[in-house]
Amino acid sequence: SNSSSISQFLLLAFADTWELQLLHFCLFLGIYLAALLSNGLIIITIACDHRLHIPMYFFLFNLSVLDLGCISTTVPKSMANSLWDTRAISYTGCVAQLFLFMFLFSTEFCLLTVMAYDRYVAICHPLHYGTLLGSRACVHMAAAAWASGFLNAVLHTANTFSLPLCHGNAVDQFFCEIPQILKLSCSDKYLKEIGLILFNVCLDFWCFVFMVVSYMAIFRAVMRIPSEKGRHKAFSMCLPHLCVVSLFISTAMFAYLKTPSISFLLLDMVLAFLYSVFPPALNPLIYSKRNQELK
């Protein structure tokens, strides 16, 4: 068979027994509701309180919207499949899921880079903060992040689903993602998609280097702050951001670059959970726990 004869894909089931499927449903439901509530509260708070209409919270607003979209793209379908004891997702649904995930995933990475720059300017060049990060500049940077994510998603989705698929329709993941779809291809054209992934990884790597350099400059500036309270506040704002970014990037890069020889179901599921489900649920806690203004 080829891709034209595939009407649906079969996603990976977390368990074979009804009891374990119900447990998976309950765990994912708890995570999803926590992410929905916390990100929703951040969005409403920032939108309604004019005191939070500053660059830092503008970017946090965008991040919460992306986190809500990202976790809503993958988790509800997996929960529904466990509850109804099925693995099926339609061909159109799989295309839409892959596109939305790549769109939101890529946009979030670009936005995290912008947020690192925002923290760098705020701590290292506070007197120029209003000039470098005015309202127009913030809107332009956020729009560039969203546009980059959309373009990236269009290229990957079109390229991936243009391949002939003749190795069945079973996707070894709980949502549709590029590496698992490529395993179903029987054409050498999949190398084109791998080349596109490598190009994106190179860009992502340089963005990560930019973040690391920015944080190194931030930490040097923080160490020169005479007040211990000031140093503690700066570190509490920056370290959690760096930890989440590192987890987000490292797990995603490993998942997309690892060779088939080190690919097995449990590892793939854990990695996917760490970069698709864990950050959207954890980000609100990290960005609001020590933030008195947001509290």
Side-chain angles (χ1 to χ4, degrees), residues 69-90:
C70 196
I71 199 169
S72 297
T73 300
T74 58
V75 169
K77 179 59 179 175
S78 181
M79 289 164 48
N81 281 4
S82 290
L83 188 62
W84 301 116
D85 193 21
T86 180
R87 296 174 55 194
I89 181 173
S90 67

PDB file of all heavy atoms in Angstrom, residues 69-90:
ATOM      1  N   GLY A  69      -1.679  25.517  23.566  1.00  0.00           N
ATOM      2  CA  GLY A  69      -1.885  24.918  22.256  1.00  0.00           C
ATOM      3  C   GLY A  69      -1.107  23.632  22.084  1.00  0.00           C
ATOM      4  O   GLY A  69      -1.625  22.642  21.547  1.00  0.00           O
ATOM      5  N   CYS A  70       0.144  23.623  22.562  1.00  0.00           N
ATOM      6  CA  CYS A  70       1.016  22.466  22.389  1.00  0.00           C
ATOM      7  C   CYS A  70       0.478  21.238  23.126  1.00  0.00           C
ATOM      8  O   CYS A  70       0.383  20.148  22.557  1.00  0.00           O
ATOM      9  CB  CYS A  70       2.426  22.808  22.874  1.00  0.00           C
ATOM     10  SG  CYS A  70       3.699  21.660  22.329  1.00  0.00           S
ATOM     11  N   ILE A  71       0.083  21.407  24.370  1.00  0.00           N
ATOM     12  CA  ILE A  71      -0.397  20.263  25.142  1.00  0.00           C
ATOM     13  C   ILE A  71      -1.799  19.847  24.684  1.00  0.00           C
ATOM     14  O   ILE A  71      -2.168  18.674  24.752  1.00  0.00           O
ATOM     15  CB  ILE A  71      -0.373  20.574  26.656  1.00  0.00           C
ATOM     16  CG1 ILE A  71      -0.422  19.274  27.467  1.00  0.00           C
ATOM     17  CG2 ILE A  71      -1.503  21.507  27.057  1.00  0.00           C
ATOM     18  CD1 ILE A  71      -0.145  19.468  28.942  1.00  0.00           C
ATOM     19  N   SER A  72      -2.585  20.797  24.154  1.00  0.00           N
ATOM     20  CA  SER A  72      -3.922  20.468  23.660  1.00  0.00           C
ATOM     21  C   SER A  72      -3.868  19.745  22.323  1.00  0.00           C
ATOM     22  O   SER A  72      -4.851  19.108  21.922  1.00  0.00           O
ATOM     23  CB  SER A  72      -4.763  21.748  23.510  1.00  0.00           C
ATOM     24  OG  SER A  72      -4.962  22.372  24.762  1.00  0.00           O
ATOM     25  N   THR A  73      -2.746  19.820  21.624  1.00  0.00           N
ATOM     26  CA  THR A  73      -2.602  19.142  20.341  1.00  0.00           C
ATOM     27  C   THR A  73      -2.369  17.646  20.504  1.00  0.00           C
ATOM     28  O   THR A  73      -2.811  16.850  19.678  1.00  0.00           O
ATOM     29  CB  THR A  73      -1.429  19.767  19.548  1.00  0.00           C
ATOM     30  OG1 THR A  73      -1.701  21.150  19.329  1.00  0.00           O
ATOM     31  CG2 THR A  73      -1.240  19.085  18.207  1.00  0.00           C
ATOM     32  N   THR A  74      -1.682  17.263  21.561  1.00  0.00           N
ATOM     33  CA  THR A  74      -1.257  15.864  21.712  1.00  0.00           C
ATOM     34  C   THR A  74      -2.019  15.095  22.790  1.00  0.00           C
ATOM     35  O   THR A  74      -2.421  13.947  22.574  1.00  0.00           O
ATOM     36  CB  THR A  74       0.243  15.802  22.041  1.00  0.00           C
ATOM     37  OG1 THR A  74       0.491  16.553  23.247  1.00  0.00           O
ATOM     38  CG2 THR A  74       1.065  16.407  20.909  1.00  0.00           C
ATOM     39  N   VAL A  75      -2.230  15.701  23.946  1.00  0.00           N
ATOM     40  CA  VAL A  75      -2.743  14.963  25.106  1.00  0.00           C
ATOM     41  C   VAL A  75      -4.215  14.541  24.981  1.00  0.00           C
ATOM     42  O   VAL A  75      -4.550  13.378  25.271  1.00  0.00           O
ATOM     43  CB  VAL A  75      -2.498  15.770  26.400  1.00  0.00           C
ATOM     44  CG1 VAL A  75      -3.246  15.165  27.582  1.00  0.00           C
ATOM     45  CG2 VAL A  75      -0.999  15.828  26.703  1.00  0.00           C
ATOM     46  N   PRO A  76      -5.140  15.441  24.575  1.00  0.00           N
ATOM     47  CA  PRO A  76      -6.553  15.024  24.533  1.00  0.00           C
ATOM     48  C   PRO A  76      -6.820  13.809  23.641  1.00  0.00           C
ATOM     49  O   PRO A  76      -7.613  12.936  24.007  1.00  0.00           O
ATOM     50  CB  PRO A  76      -7.275  16.273  24.003  1.00  0.00           C
ATOM     51  CG  PRO A  76      -6.403  17.404  24.426  1.00  0.00           C
ATOM     52  CD  PRO A  76      -5.011  16.891  24.292  1.00  0.00           C
ATOM     53  N   LYS A  77      -6.176  13.730  22.482  1.00  0.00           N
ATOM     54  CA  LYS A  77      -6.386  12.586  21.597  1.00  0.00           C
ATOM     55  C   LYS A  77      -5.877  11.298  22.239  1.00  0.00           C
ATOM     56  O   LYS A  77      -6.532  10.248  22.150  1.00  0.00           O
ATOM     57  CB  LYS A  77      -5.674  12.829  20.266  1.00  0.00           C
ATOM     58  CG  LYS A  77      -5.803  11.688  19.265  1.00  0.00           C
ATOM     59  CD  LYS A  77      -7.260  11.394  18.923  1.00  0.00           C
ATOM     60  CE  LYS A  77      -7.378  10.271  17.918  1.00  0.00           C
ATOM     61  NZ  LYS A  77      -8.788   9.883  17.665  1.00  0.00           N
ATOM     62  N   SER A  78      -4.718  11.378  22.894  1.00  0.00           N
ATOM     63  CA  SER A  78      -4.188  10.205  23.585  1.00  0.00           C
ATOM     64  C   SER A  78      -5.110   9.769  24.710  1.00  0.00           C
ATOM     65  O   SER A  78      -5.343   8.572  24.920  1.00  0.00           O
ATOM     66  CB  SER A  78      -2.788  10.511  24.128  1.00  0.00           C
ATOM     67  OG  SER A  78      -2.235   9.400  24.790  1.00  0.00           O
ATOM     68  N   MET A  79      -5.667  10.734  25.445  1.00  0.00           N
ATOM     69  CA  MET A  79      -6.610  10.417  26.515  1.00  0.00           C
ATOM     70  C   MET A  79      -7.867   9.759  25.956  1.00  0.00           C
ATOM     71  O   MET A  79      -8.363   8.765  26.514  1.00  0.00           O
ATOM     72  CB  MET A  79      -6.985  11.699  27.271  1.00  0.00           C
ATOM     73  CG  MET A  79      -5.877  12.272  28.138  1.00  0.00           C
ATOM     74  SD  MET A  79      -6.223  13.978  28.621  1.00  0.00           S
ATOM     75  CE  MET A  79      -7.898  13.880  29.171  1.00  0.00           C
ATOM     76  N   ALA A  80      -8.390  10.306  24.868  1.00  0.00           N
ATOM     77  CA  ALA A  80      -9.604   9.755  24.267  1.00  0.00           C
ATOM     78  C   ALA A  80      -9.376   8.330  23.770  1.00  0.00           C
ATOM     79  O   ALA A  80     -10.239   7.453  23.948  1.00  0.00           O
ATOM     80  CB  ALA A  80     -10.059  10.646  23.114  1.00  0.00           C
ATOM     81  N   ASN A  81      -8.223   8.080  23.181  1.00  0.00           N
ATOM     82  CA  ASN A  81      -7.927   6.727  22.705  1.00  0.00           C
ATOM     83  C   ASN A  81      -7.870   5.723  23.848  1.00  0.00           C
ATOM     84  O   ASN A  81      -8.336   4.587  23.727  1.00  0.00           O
ATOM     85  CB  ASN A  81      -6.606   6.718  21.940  1.00  0.00           C
ATOM     86  CG  ASN A  81      -6.754   7.244  20.530  1.00  0.00           C
ATOM     87  OD1 ASN A  81      -7.827   7.680  20.135  1.00  0.00           O
ATOM     88  ND2 ASN A  81      -5.686   7.208  19.756  1.00  0.00           N
ATOM     89  N   SER A  82      -7.269   6.142  24.979  1.00  0.00           N
ATOM     90  CA  SER A  82      -7.210   5.245  26.136  1.00  0.00           C
ATOM     91  C   SER A  82      -8.598   4.996  26.714  1.00  0.00           C
ATOM     92  O   SER A  82      -8.938   3.869  27.090  1.00  0.00           O
ATOM     93  CB  SER A  82      -6.301   5.839  27.217  1.00  0.00           C
ATOM     94  OG  SER A  82      -4.957   5.805  26.820  1.00  0.00           O
ATOM     95  N   LEU A  83      -9.402   6.043  26.769  1.00  0.00           N
ATOM     96  CA  LEU A  83     -10.740   5.906  27.358  1.00  0.00           C
ATOM     97  C   LEU A  83     -11.645   5.027  26.508  1.00  0.00           C
ATOM     98  O   LEU A  83     -12.415   4.222  27.038  1.00  0.00           O
ATOM     99  CB  LEU A  83     -11.362   7.291  27.529  1.00  0.00           C
ATOM    100  CG  LEU A  83     -12.678   7.356  28.303  1.00  0.00           C
ATOM    101  CD1 LEU A  83     -12.484   6.871  29.734  1.00  0.00           C
ATOM    102  CD2 LEU A  83     -13.238   8.768  28.291  1.00  0.00           C
ATOM    103  N   TRP A  84     -11.537   5.159  25.191  1.00  0.00           N
ATOM    104  CA  TRP A  84     -12.415   4.401  24.286  1.00  0.00           C
ATOM    105  C   TRP A  84     -11.740   3.131  23.772  1.00  0.00           C
ATOM    106  O   TRP A  84     -12.293   2.461  22.905  1.00  0.00           O
ATOM    107  CB  TRP A  84     -12.840   5.278  23.118  1.00  0.00           C
ATOM    108  CG  TRP A  84     -13.574   6.515  23.535  1.00  0.00           C
ATOM    109  CD1 TRP A  84     -13.173   7.800  23.362  1.00  0.00           C
ATOM    110  CD2 TRP A  84     -14.829   6.583  24.221  1.00  0.00           C
ATOM    111  NE1 TRP A  84     -14.087   8.672  23.895  1.00  0.00           N
ATOM    112  CE2 TRP A  84     -15.117   7.960  24.433  1.00  0.00           C
ATOM    113  CE3 TRP A  84     -15.733   5.611  24.691  1.00  0.00           C
ATOM    114  CZ2 TRP A  84     -16.275   8.377  25.084  1.00  0.00           C
ATOM    115  CZ3 TRP A  84     -16.882   6.046  25.340  1.00  0.00           C
ATOM    116  CH2 TRP A  84     -17.149   7.399  25.530  1.00  0.00           C
ATOM    117  N   ASP A  85     -10.555   2.821  24.291  1.00  0.00           N
ATOM    118  CA  ASP A  85      -9.847   1.589  23.933  1.00  0.00           C
ATOM    119  C   ASP A  85      -9.648   1.466  22.416  1.00  0.00           C
ATOM    120  O   ASP A  85     -10.003   0.471  21.794  1.00  0.00           O
ATOM    121  CB  ASP A  85     -10.595   0.368  24.461  1.00  0.00           C
ATOM    122  CG  ASP A  85      -9.735  -0.896  24.388  1.00  0.00           C
ATOM    123  OD1 ASP A  85      -8.488  -0.764  24.330  1.00  0.00           O
ATOM    124  OD2 ASP A  85     -10.302  -1.999  24.379  1.00  0.00           O
ATOM    125  N   THR A  86      -9.071   2.518  21.844  1.00  0.00           N
ATOM    126  CA  THR A  86      -8.774   2.510  20.419  1.00  0.00           C
ATOM    127  C   THR A  86      -7.405   3.144  20.203  1.00  0.00           C
ATOM    128  O   THR A  86      -6.855   3.771  21.105  1.00  0.00           O
ATOM    129  CB  THR A  86      -9.843   3.281  19.622  1.00  0.00           C
ATOM    130  OG1 THR A  86      -9.510   3.243  18.234  1.00  0.00           O
ATOM    131  CG2 THR A  86      -9.908   4.733  20.073  1.00  0.00           C
ATOM    132  N   ARG A  87      -6.861   2.949  19.008  1.00  0.00           N
ATOM    133  CA  ARG A  87      -5.567   3.543  18.664  1.00  0.00           C
ATOM    134  C   ARG A  87      -5.670   4.442  17.443  1.00  0.00           C
ATOM    135  O   ARG A  87      -4.695   5.036  17.021  1.00  0.00           O
ATOM    136  CB  ARG A  87      -4.546   2.436  18.384  1.00  0.00           C
ATOM    137  CG  ARG A  87      -4.226   1.543  19.559  1.00  0.00           C
ATOM    138  CD  ARG A  87      -3.322   0.397  19.140  1.00  0.00           C
ATOM    139  NE  ARG A  87      -2.115   0.868  18.493  1.00  0.00           N
ATOM    140  CZ  ARG A  87      -1.293   0.094  17.789  1.00  0.00           C
ATOM    141  NH1 ARG A  87      -1.568  -1.181  17.614  1.00  0.00           N
ATOM    142  NH2 ARG A  87      -0.215   0.600  17.241  1.00  0.00           N
ATOM    143  N   ALA A  88      -6.836   4.549  16.848  1.00  0.00           N
ATOM    144  CA  ALA A  88      -6.980   5.160  15.527  1.00  0.00           C
ATOM    145  C   ALA A  88      -6.948   6.683  15.582  1.00  0.00           C
ATOM    146  O   ALA A  88      -7.441   7.312  16.518  1.00  0.00           O
ATOM    147  CB  ALA A  88      -8.283   4.695  14.889  1.00  0.00           C
ATOM    148  N   ILE A  89      -6.339   7.263  14.551  1.00  0.00           N
ATOM    149  CA  ILE A  89      -6.424   8.687  14.260  1.00  0.00           C
ATOM    150  C   ILE A  89      -6.509   8.800  12.739  1.00  0.00           C
ATOM    151  O   ILE A  89      -5.796   8.102  12.021  1.00  0.00           O
ATOM    152  CB  ILE A  89      -5.216   9.469  14.807  1.00  0.00           C
ATOM    153  CG1 ILE A  89      -5.363  10.970  14.510  1.00  0.00           C
ATOM    154  CG2 ILE A  89      -3.897   8.946  14.274  1.00  0.00           C
ATOM    155  CD1 ILE A  89      -4.302  11.846  15.169  1.00  0.00           C
ATOM    156  N   SER A  90      -7.402   9.622  12.251  1.00  0.00           N
ATOM    157  CA  SER A  90      -7.597   9.736  10.808  1.00  0.00           C
ATOM    158  C   SER A  90      -6.355  10.309  10.139  1.00  0.00           C
ATOM    159  O   SER A  90      -5.514  10.954  10.785  1.00  0.00           O
ATOM    160  CB  SER A  90      -8.812  10.614  10.504  1.00  0.00           C
ATOM    161  OG  SER A  90      -8.560  11.954  10.891  1.00  0.00           O
TER     162      SER A  90
END
